[in-house]
Amino acid sequence: MRITGRAWKYGDNINTDVIFPGKYTYTVTEREEIARHALEDLDPTFAANVRPGDVVVGGRNFGCGSSREQAATCLVYNGVGAVIAVSFSRIFYRNALNNGLLVIACPAAVEAILPGEQVTVDTEQHVIRCTAGEFPFPPLSPSVMGIVEAGGLVEYVKRKLATP
Amino acid sequence: MSEQTFAQKALARAAGMETVEIGQVVDARPDVVLSHDNTAAIRRIWLQFGQERVVIPERIAITLDHAVPAPTTKHAQNHAEIRQFVQEQGIHNFFEVGRGICHQVLSEEALVLPGQLILGADSHTTHFGWLGAFGAGIGRSEVAALWATGELWLRVPESMKVVLEGELPPGVTAKDFALRLIGDLGADGGLYMSIEFHGSGIEAMSLESRMVLPNMMAEFGAKTAWIAPDAKTTAYLAERLKRKAQSGDRRFGKSLETLSVSELQALLLSMALLPDPDATYAAVHHYRAEELEPYIACPHTVDNVVPLSAVAGTRVQQAFLGTCTNGRLEDLAAAAAVIRGRRVAPGVRFIVIPASSEVLKAALEKGYIQDFVEAGAVIGVPGCGPCMGNHLGIPAPGEATISSANRNFRGRMGTPDSEIYLASPAVVAATAVAGVIVDPREIGG
């Protein structure tokens, strides 16, 4: 799989409240509407301008805070191809993979990527490419890769339940 | 067999294995699966599996707490959908609007026991470390998967040992210790880790104070957190189990009616999973309780921590006492002691929301509610209140709130252009009285 898009670059500790505000979590349920509120309190220009395949780049502890899954799905519903960060908060990391959103911890790439530039993520060769060069990242563990390959946790569980 | 951490022992137990290694991924079967107002959304994911019945109805616990009573028609529809699901699936551990916040209610109901695994669609599920359980937050899809299969993959985390020796000085609380730790090591200081609390400072704490520490470790990036259960812990749980003697609870293999409190205590203690003395820790941090002071987490991150004195005099328009972190009887007692006989400052709203109906009832009996009302405070329905910006105290743009909650992210309380300062309950009350951030010890509180 190869993902190519523009980089939307932000800082450390990007939390779930600025990714998808808590006040919407029980009332906003439609995909389009969830997508519209993505990163609302961090970058009000994001949802209107993001294009499929674009990549969100963050610093340390990306996705910290709430367990709300919309912090991952609001990016998925906007067509975001991957999130590259120095490190991830664990619940966000799980939520992203469970919804088929690629999350890659790669500090060197985060440092090198310039805001707005074109970035390619190659999941077969396990490298991130940008103007500054190529940055390798470690592959996911096989057990977790099974969920991503199935297209997310729901599909993975469906298959598991179908297997006697 | 190498020496094991609490996390290793708890996940080995939950996975039905003899031992597990740090870093190993296991399929764990939780004893309790928690969800709240997000249950309707989880149900819609679960429906995709085509099952008619969830496979673990007896392990599911559901509370309505995040936006209660329903502030809008949409919230009401959300609750209605959850009640229907609960009825259809025969889920007994369901707690209605007004019973309280999930972590407090499940603690009071003794639904989680030492050594057990609880997974919840709520980041503060780390809370249950106060009683020696392994609590971790998960996503909505994961709860749906648990309803359908009863198991979920978990990676066995590295562990950090945090040792607190000595006794906290007057006016310094478990909240201050949690803020100090997060301030020292950062909001990702415990990322992916299991945080074990040890030392005489922890042993000396009341149970309600202990509850603050694992709860706040969600703000430290932790997967879970743990405190050793002792006689205080088992007495709390055993007394509550006895109150439910008629409930048909069979978790101990025989009826609760036939077990005495002391027998129950012994059984609970035997369930405790204690880390081995030479277990492997990624880091060890030592603190002296006497060296701690009141701290404040300043906008807009929980690790932006300073000694209270550094921000004393900062004006606030709202003070909020409540939440799963600091909305218990002990917290209300500390705040009532400060506010008794005083008035909330002009231009300040003081919102008090007990963490549960049990806390509210006890606070009524103790006269704390009267103290708050006479001082000009507002009393809210047990639940999460304005913590996450749904209702009951959303600040206006440009306003500052001092709060006993756990998060101060931009927009957290519903308004991005407002500021949130986090502090202990007594500091919140003193600030409500003074109108500016103040140390309660300086106003004779």
Side-chain angles (χ1 to χ4, degrees):
Chain A
M1 191 165 68
R2 187 176 289 183
I3 291 154
T4 298
R6 295 168 305 161
W8 295 78
K9 192 168 179 179
Y10 306 105
D12 291 336
N13 297 311
I14 300 303
N15 65 71
T16 51
D17 279 305
V18 296
I19 300 173
F20 189 83
K23 60 189 171 191
Y24 302 134
T25 60
Y26 309 118
T27 52
V28 172
T29 52
E30 299 303 319
R31 285 176 76 104
E32 293 73 21
E33 209 186 345
I34 289 173
R36 255 203 313 281
H37 292 295
L39 301 185
E40 181 172 282
D41 287 344
L42 177 70
D43 179 357
T45 70
F46 176 81
N49 296 294
V50 64
R51 291 187 216 132
D54 281 0
V55 172
V56 172
V57 181
R60 285 163 48 187
N61 203 20
F62 189 95
C64 62
S66 162
S67 64
R68 74 186 64 127
E69 200 154 317
Q70 301 97 314
T73 56
C74 74
L75 301 178
V76 173
Y77 298 161
N78 274 303
V80 168
V83 182
I84 304 167
V86 173
S87 62
F88 290 91
S89 175
R90 53 165 292 274
I91 307 179
F92 177 86
Y93 187 82
R94 295 179 72 101
N95 283 338
L97 293 174
N98 286 336
N99 285 279
L101 174 62
L102 204 56
V103 277
I104 302 163
C106 186
V110 170
E111 199 179 327
I113 293 169
L114 302 169
E117 77 162 319
Q118 185 158 305
V119 174
T120 297
V121 179
D122 187 329
T123 59
E124 270 138 45
Q125 295 185 23
H126 305 292
V127 291
I128 296 164
R129 295 189 191 92
C130 63
T131 317
E134 279 196 359
F135 300 89
F137 60 87
L140 286 169
S141 77
S143 52
V144 179
M145 204 57 211
I147 293 171
V148 177
E149 278 170 359
L153 184 65
V154 170
E155 288 309 313
Y156 178 78
V157 172
K158 274 189 198 168
R159 284 182 203 179
K160 200 160 141 184
L161 290 172
T163 316
Chain B
M1 189 170 96
S2 64
E3 302 268 283
Q4 307 268 304
T5 61
F6 164 72
Q8 284 175 277
K9 291 188 179 184
L11 291 184
R13 174 193 166 275
M17 298 164 83
E18 194 70 21
T19 59
V20 295
E21 297 302 318
I22 293 164
Q24 189 175 344
V25 175
V26 300
D27 286 323
R29 301 185 69 82
D31 300 279
V32 181
V33 178
L34 163 70
S35 57
H36 43 67
D37 296 41
N38 53 21
T39 304
I42 295 167
R43 174 182 163 270
R44 291 191 286 271
I45 298 167
W46 173 75
L47 286 174
Q48 296 179 51
F49 299 136
Q51 283 181 332
E52 281 185 15
R53 314 290 299 178
V54 297
V55 301
I56 50 160
E58 73 290 350
R59 295 183 178 213
I60 295 175
I62 298 168
T63 57
L64 297 183
D65 56 6
H66 273 56
V68 295
T72 69
T73 306
K74 272 200 153 182
H75 287 94
Q77 285 171 317
N78 181 58
H79 289 166
E81 192 177 335
I82 295 167
R83 291 188 189 101
Q84 191 187 339
F85 171 77
V86 163
Q87 198 170 18
E88 281 169 6
Q89 298 296 326
I91 292 162
H92 295 296
N93 291 317
F94 170 64
F95 303 97
E96 260 291 355
V97 164
R99 176 65 185 88
I101 308 171
C102 52
H103 308 303
Q104 180 66 18
V105 173
L106 267 58
S107 297
E108 290 172 358
E109 298 281 342
L111 285 181
V112 185
L113 304 175
Q116 290 193 328
L117 172 65
I118 171 168
L119 298 177
D122 188 283
S123 56
H124 292 105
T125 308
T126 52
H127 186 87
F128 296 92
W130 80 265
L131 57 79
F134 188 114
I138 55 173
R140 293 176 177 185
S141 296
E142 297 185 302
V143 170
L146 279 166
W147 289 354
T149 68
E151 64 179 31
L152 187 69
W153 70 273
L154 289 176
R155 181 181 167 278
V156 182
E158 290 76 15
S159 294
M160 176 191 287
K161 187 188 261 194
V162 176
V163 185
L164 180 70
E165 297 291 357
E167 206 167 325
L168 292 169
V172 180
T173 68
K175 178 67 157 289
D176 297 300
F177 178 43
L179 291 178
R180 170 69 188 269
L181 180 64
I182 296 164
D184 281 356
L185 300 177
D188 59 352
L191 201 62
Y192 292 112
M193 279 196 246
S194 165
I195 314 300
E196 292 184 9
F197 288 97
H198 295 259
S200 60
I202 306 295
E203 288 160 25
M205 280 182 192
S206 70
L207 294 179
E208 296 201 345
S209 288
R210 289 184 195 172
M211 290 176 192
V212 176
L213 297 174
N215 179 286
M216 280 297 290
M217 290 304 98
E219 314 313 321
F220 196 44
K223 181 171 201 154
T224 194
W226 175 87
I227 292 172
D230 59 12
K232 280 192 268 191
T233 321
T234 57
Y236 175 101
L237 293 171
E239 280 163 23
R240 279 165 172 74
L241 286 164
K242 282 302 279 182
R243 283 185 215 166
K244 302 180 6 163
Q246 311 290 335
S247 68
D249 189 327
R250 303 291 296 182
R251 285 178 295 171
F252 295 92
K254 49 179 165 177
S255 162
L256 287 172
E257 274 180 308
T258 65
L259 291 161
S260 70
V261 168
S262 58
E263 282 171 328
L264 273 169
Q265 278 193 263
L267 283 169
L268 289 164
L269 207 57
S270 73
M271 295 169 75
L273 299 174
L274 306 177
D276 295 322
D278 288 322
T280 306
Y281 293 95
V284 182
H285 297 278
H286 290 271
Y287 285 89
R288 285 293 318 176
E290 294 78 8
E291 291 166 8
L292 301 176
E293 57 182 307
Y295 299 98
I296 304 271
C298 298
H300 293 282
T301 56
V302 185
D303 58 1
N304 188 13
V305 174
V306 298
L308 185 153
S309 54
V311 287
T314 304
R315 190 154 289 284
V316 306
Q317 287 72 38
Q318 180 167 278
F320 169 41
L321 173 64
T323 78
C324 57
T325 306
N326 273 133
R328 281 173 282 280
L329 191 63
E330 174 180 288
D331 304 318
L332 270 57
V338 170
I339 209 157
R340 194 169 298 129
R342 294 192 167 102
R343 292 285 304 171
V344 173
V348 177
R349 292 96 61 187
F350 183 24
I351 297 160
V352 179
I353 302 188
S356 73
S357 57
E358 185 179 312
V359 173
L360 172 59
K361 185 166 174 280
L364 277 165
E365 285 164 5
K366 297 267 187 189
Y368 304 150
I369 300 298
Q370 184 147 352
D371 293 330
F372 291 127
V373 172
E374 283 177 357
V378 181
I379 310 297
V381 181
C384 304
C387 177
M388 58 172 322
N390 275 297
H391 64 157
L392 296 176
I394 293 169
E399 289 188 337
T401 298
I402 188 150
S403 166
S404 70
N406 40 56
R407 257 174 215 151
N408 60 351
F409 303 149
R410 185 183 292 282
R412 170 73 180 173
M413 294 182 77
T415 311
D417 304 321
S418 73
E419 296 192 321
I420 306 167
Y421 294 85
L422 303 178
S424 73
V427 173
V428 169
T431 301
V433 166
V436 294
I437 294 177
V438 67
D439 188 329
R441 295 173 297 189
E442 284 172 18
I443 62 166

